[in-house]
């Protein structure tokens, strides 16, 4: 970036700060009605809410709503030369028109503002426009979901693979979540994305990001990272080459995500993490858990795979044809038909959306869990994702331990017990342990597990507690121990109990 655009971007950044161009301020300005309409791509209520001419309203109109603003409106009047020099806007008559979209980003911690990202203008349905092949998208639901997933632990060296507009790099440097990494590297196959990411970093005051061009891990071969995050081009499309680089890799099926999972351990430090979003195919005759489970097992890392949603082939095609604003175009029906033909040839019954977390723990037998969670969970997941992996490892160690009765357990924080049965009944028909936080799981349990949940605080070994429960319930002590050995590993893996490390 030359000195002139850099200086212009610095002055634009200062103006954004003075106007309080943040997510919270924009949300308050628009209110629930205009904000809700904007989420549906309707801008008329937002135009009404931003008609006052304040600096914040002018910036929202110019960069968020993407409508021209008068050239003499503050702060556009003072910034016109810098906006033009930086390539963010152009003069048109007596107005300024945005050439790029500038939007604020807020912390996943809820602690406030993170920075601003620069992307191509948002293409709204009904305008007749479609994205260019090298279109760069801004912050969205997927990028926010990944940011909420990423582990909160401090890291020294981080990689944002497929950075796009640079939003994940901004989240990685968010001091409200973790100390800023010593080094952040951001890669992308799209040169335009790297240029816009550099502008995002300049407007956000993030210095020193190492920007590199290339696919997959080619730009960083021979390097190691404590954390790799990626919102990759995971869309599964029928074309031989990618039509839109922000969403399609050109590799067949879900091969890009499989290959990323296979190759990323080679750039992870000891105990390093990789966290990514992914799509995977549901193929007739093969459970999706087996297909994706084989990916992560081959990685040699501890792994947690979560399917958050599934779409049938028609839903999936409609989603991405809407995304590229092709609904209603002459090509729409032909593209829809060709996409469904492709899925039919591959015997695809559905497409899963989800998360993959890998941890390079260096185990001879890594722990792997592949599951579906469709319900709402506590956000941000990154605050406790390490605890999930630790629980999986502890459950396996417990199940193979010779001295299980010497292990000390602690009932996890936030676990509550529900008893279900007729009013006044002495013995409930069903007992449920439920998590009020984290993954909000529920588990039907028996009297032994319920008894342990009431007394396990990490101070006493399991053996004496089971003996006391057997005496109180008039059950055979051997049967109680055998039952506990059978059910506790799953309850530990699910996060209802924690194994307390030896003193």
């Amino acid at each position: 970036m030359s000195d002139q655009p850099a200086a212009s971007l610095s002055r634009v950044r200062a103006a954004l700060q003075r106007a309080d161009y943040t997510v919270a301020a924009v949300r308050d300005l628009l209110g629930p009605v205009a904000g809700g309409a904007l989420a549906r791509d309707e801008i008329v209520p937002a135009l009404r809410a931003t008609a006052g001419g304040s600096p914040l309203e002018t910036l929202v109109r110019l960069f968020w709503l993407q409508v021209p603003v008068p050239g003499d409106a503050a702060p556009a009047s003072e910034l016109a030369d810098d906006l033009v020099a930086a390539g963010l806007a152009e003069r048109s008559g007596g107005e300024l028109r945005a050439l790029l979209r500038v939007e604020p980003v807020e912390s996943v911690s809820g602690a406030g503002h993170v920075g601003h990202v620069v992307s191509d203008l948002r293409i709204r349905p009904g305008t007749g426009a479609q994205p260019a092949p090298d279109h760069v998208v801004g912050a969205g639901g997927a990028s926010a979901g990944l940011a909420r997933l990423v582990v909160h632990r401090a890291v020294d060296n981080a990689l944002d693979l497929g950075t796009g507009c640079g939003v994940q790099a901004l989240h990685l440097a968010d001091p409200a979540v973790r100390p800023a990494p010593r080094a952040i590297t951001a890669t992308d196959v799209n040169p335009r994305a790297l240029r816009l990411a550099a502008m995002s970093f300049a407007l956000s005051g993030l210095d020193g990001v190492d920007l590199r061009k290339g696919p997959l891990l080619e730009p960083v071969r021979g390097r190691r990272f404590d954390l790799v995050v990626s919102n990759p081009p995971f869309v599964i499309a029928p074309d031989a080459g990618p039509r839109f680089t922000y969403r399609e890799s050109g590799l067949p099926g879900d091969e890009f995500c499989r290959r990323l999972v296979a190759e990323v351990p080679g750039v992870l430090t000891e105990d390093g993490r990789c966290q990514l979003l992914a799509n995977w195919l549901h193929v007739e005759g093969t459970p999706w858990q087996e297909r994706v489970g084989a990916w992560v097992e081959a990685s040699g890392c501890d792994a947690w795979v979560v399917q958050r949603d599934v779409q049938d082939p028609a839903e999936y095609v409609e989603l991405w044809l809407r995304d590229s604003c092709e609904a209603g175009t002459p090509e729409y029906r032909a593209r829809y038909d060709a996409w469904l033909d492709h899925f039919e040839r591959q015997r695809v019954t559905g497409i899963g959306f989800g998360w993959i977390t890998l941890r390079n723990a260096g185990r001879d037998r890594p722990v792997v869990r592949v599951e579906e969670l469709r319900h709402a969970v506590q956000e941000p997941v990154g605050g406790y994702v390490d605890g999930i992996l630790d629980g999986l490892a502890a459950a396996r160690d417990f199940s193979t331990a010779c001295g299980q009765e010497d292990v000390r357990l602690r009932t996890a924080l936030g676990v509550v017990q529900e008893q279900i049965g007729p009013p006044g009944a002495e013995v409930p028909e069903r007992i449920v342990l439920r998590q009020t936080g984290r993954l909000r799981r529920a588990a039907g349990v028996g009297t032994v597990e319920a008894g342990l949940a009431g007394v396990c605080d990490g101070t006493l070994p399991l053996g004496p507690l089971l003996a006391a429960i057997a005496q109180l319930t008039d059950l055979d002590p051997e049967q109680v121990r055998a039952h506990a050995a059978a059910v506790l590993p799953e309850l530990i893996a699910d996060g209802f109990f924690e194994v307390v490390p030896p003193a």
Side-chain angles (χ1 to χ4, degrees):
M1 189 180 298
S2 67
D3 291 342
Q4 178 57 44
S8 294
L9 286 169
S10 179
R11 288 188 287 270
V12 172
R13 178 184 176 226
L16 298 178
Q17 292 175 328
R18 287 194 300 271
D20 194 25
Y21 186 45
T22 64
V23 172
V26 173
R27 187 184 293 123
D28 289 344
L29 172 66
L30 296 181
V33 174
L38 197 57
R40 301 188 298 271
D41 282 317
E42 296 289 348
I43 69 169
V44 173
L47 289 172
R48 293 167 59 89
T50 56
S54 71
L56 177 60
E57 289 169 313
T58 300
L59 289 171
V60 170
R61 282 179 163 243
L62 180 64
F63 287 126
W64 201 314
L65 305 184
Q66 302 173 186
V67 297
V69 299
D72 58 357
S77 53
E78 297 90 344
L79 286 177
D81 288 343
D82 289 320
L83 293 173
V84 172
L88 294 171
E90 65 177 357
R91 292 184 176 91
S92 179
E95 297 179 322
L96 275 179
R97 296 175 181 270
L99 294 175
L100 295 169
R101 181 177 176 87
V102 179
E103 57 187 315
V105 178
E106 65 180 346
S107 173
V108 298
S109 71
H113 181 65
V114 171
H116 295 90
V117 291
V118 180
S119 62
D120 281 312
L121 296 177
R122 179 181 175 86
I123 298 176
R124 295 194 168 93
T127 62
Q130 292 181 25
D134 63 351
H135 182 84
V136 178
V137 296
S143 61
L146 176 59
R148 291 192 295 268
L149 172 67
V150 174
V151 64
H152 287 188
R153 68 193 292 266
V155 296
D156 185 56
N157 204 344
L159 169 64
D160 175 13
L161 189 152
T163 190
C165 65
V167 62
Q168 294 306 320
L170 294 184
H171 283 298
L172 288 173
D174 180 4
V177 174
R178 67 182 66 78
R182 176 186 59 82
I184 298 176
T185 301
T187 68
D188 207 288
V189 72
N190 181 1
R192 180 171 177 78
L194 295 175
R195 289 196 298 272
L196 298 194
M199 296 173 72
S200 299
F201 303 150
L203 289 182
S204 304
L206 179 58
D207 298 323
V209 177
D210 182 7
L211 288 161
R212 298 193 174 200
K213 177 182 177 295
L216 276 167
L217 296 163
E218 287 184 15
V220 293
R221 296 293 182 193
R223 298 180 58 189
R224 295 290 183 271
F225 300 91
D226 305 309
L227 177 63
V228 176
V229 301
S230 184
N231 179 11
F234 53 65
V235 174
I236 301 166
D239 299 302
R243 296 180 61 225
F244 306 107
T245 56
Y246 73 87
R247 73 183 198 188
E248 298 157 9
S249 69
L251 294 177
D254 48 22
E255 175 64 11
F256 186 92
C257 293
R258 186 208 65 79
R259 191 175 298 184
L260 178 55
V261 168
E263 296 183 9
V264 78
V267 302
L268 292 179
T269 59
E270 183 179 349
D271 204 39
R273 276 87 166 152
C274 172
Q275 297 183 276
L276 65 142
L277 304 183
N279 277 184
W280 43 75
L281 294 174
H282 289 218
V283 180
E284 184 180 345
T286 305
W288 74 269
Q289 295 92 333
E290 289 185 12
R291 292 190 72 251
V292 183
W295 299 357
V296 296
E297 287 171 3
S299 75
C301 294
D302 289 347
W304 182 41
V305 179
V306 177
Q307 181 166 273
R308 294 292 283 161
D309 192 17
V310 183
Q311 289 188 329
D312 67 44
E315 290 176 304
Y316 190 80
V317 173
E318 291 164 15
L319 168 66
W320 294 112
L321 288 176
R322 285 196 304 271
D323 173 77
S324 51
C325 295
E326 294 179 82
T329 66
E331 300 84 9
Y332 178 77
R333 182 172 294 180
R335 288 200 182 280
Y336 197 151
D337 197 41
W339 214 327
L340 290 182
D341 275 346
H342 173 74
F343 282 149
E344 187 173 322
R345 288 193 301 270
Q346 303 299 319
R347 298 183 298 116
V348 173
T349 60
I351 300 90
F353 295 72
W355 319 319
I356 299 177
T357 293
L358 303 174
R359 181 168 67 179
N360 188 26
R363 306 179 199 276
D364 292 335
R365 292 176 54 236
V367 292
V368 172
R369 181 160 195 163
V370 181
E371 63 180 328
E372 184 170 46
L373 296 174
R374 303 287 286 273
H375 60 271
V377 300
Q378 181 183 351
E379 298 286 5
V381 179
Y384 57 89
V385 64
D386 262 352
I388 302 298
L389 293 170
D390 290 342
L392 297 177
R396 193 177 68 185
D397 291 344
F398 177 86
S399 66
T400 58
C402 296
Q404 289 181 343
E405 295 185 23
D406 296 327
V407 174
R408 291 179 298 143
L409 297 180
R410 177 172 53 224
T411 304
L413 187 68
V415 172
V416 298
Q417 178 177 306
E418 299 174 357
Q419 297 190 167
I420 303 170
E426 292 186 9
V427 180
E429 290 182 356
R430 188 170 179 232
I431 304 173
V432 176
L433 296 181
R434 189 178 301 278
Q435 298 166 353
T436 58
R438 294 200 170 192
L439 296 182
R440 296 182 176 136
R441 301 187 194 270
V445 298
T447 54
V448 173
E449 305 95 285
L452 286 173
V455 298
C456 282
D457 60 5
T459 59
L460 291 176
L462 185 58
L465 296 177
L466 292 175
I469 289 173
Q471 185 175 10
L472 287 172
T473 57
D474 199 25
L475 296 172
D476 178 77
E478 289 299 324
Q479 290 181 340
V480 169
R481 284 193 290 270
H483 178 75
V487 301
L488 282 176
E490 183 174 356
L491 291 172
I492 294 169
D494 282 349
F496 291 96
F497 292 96
E498 299 168 347
V499 176
V500 179

